[in-house]
Amino acid sequence: MEGDDSRGAPLKPSLMIHLDTNYLVSGIQTGPPEELTLTAWLNAKEALGISSVAWAEFFCGPIARGADQIARKMFKQVEALTDIDAELAADLFNKTGRRSKTLADCMIAAVAIRCGAKLATINRADFQPFVPHGLLLV
């Protein structure tokens, strides 16, 4: 959020928050803690984003009736995976032990890194290996 702090020093703008698939799925359900956090972010007009990889995972489902419409209203756009993101994802994959079944997480992390976004995920342990390589977690 921009403005001044109590001493008149400029405040840094808040970073965009990208949602991982599991955070989006849980956040649009009634009851989970992620719903409360996501609602607070939306009420505070936080900039929310999502990568095309997480978006595709979300639509693989299963998703509750009407969840697709709720999700579409949350995001101004879905951030595409670029060639630069693909190269960074491969680099993350190779630098973090070539763990099987992590390529999608590497792509989600790469898009968040390029966008300068913090990533909100329920599976922090899955994304922790990317932190030394520039990923910021919420």
Side-chain angles (χ1 to χ4, degrees):
M1 196 172 271
E2 293 186 27
D4 294 337
D5 70 11
S6 61
R7 297 164 296 165
L11 296 175
K12 292 181 180 178
S14 58
L15 297 175
M16 175 178 278
I17 299 169
H18 271 206
L19 303 185
D20 184 25
T21 311
N22 58 34
Y23 208 96
L24 174 59
V25 169
S26 192
I28 60 177
Q29 294 177 19
T30 302
E34 294 79 22
E35 179 211 11
L36 296 174
T37 304
L38 187 54
T39 299
W41 289 337
L42 290 167
N43 289 339
K45 306 231 185 298
E46 288 283 349
L48 297 179
I50 192 164
S51 72
S52 57
V53 178
W55 193 244
E57 286 182 335
F58 173 73
F59 278 96
C60 283
I63 56 176
R65 185 179 183 155
D68 58 331
Q69 295 166 343
I70 294 168
R72 283 187 179 99
K73 290 178 183 177
M74 271 191 236
F75 306 105
K76 291 180 183 175
Q77 71 176 32
V78 173
E79 195 64 47
L81 180 77
T82 68
D83 56 337
I84 293 168
D85 299 331
E87 291 175 22
L88 177 55
D91 193 44
L92 292 171
F93 183 79
N94 289 322
K95 286 181 175 176
T96 59
R98 301 179 59 86
R99 299 170 297 143
S100 73
K101 301 181 184 177
T102 63
L103 184 56
D105 289 347
C106 292
M107 291 187 280
I108 291 167
V111 173
I113 291 169
R114 174 179 51 82
C115 292
K118 298 180 285 188
L119 183 69
T121 182
I122 296 172
N123 299 328
R124 291 181 63 86
D126 291 349
F127 286 90
Q128 194 63 44
F130 309 130
V131 170
H133 306 286
L135 181 65
L136 301 172
L137 295 174
V138 172

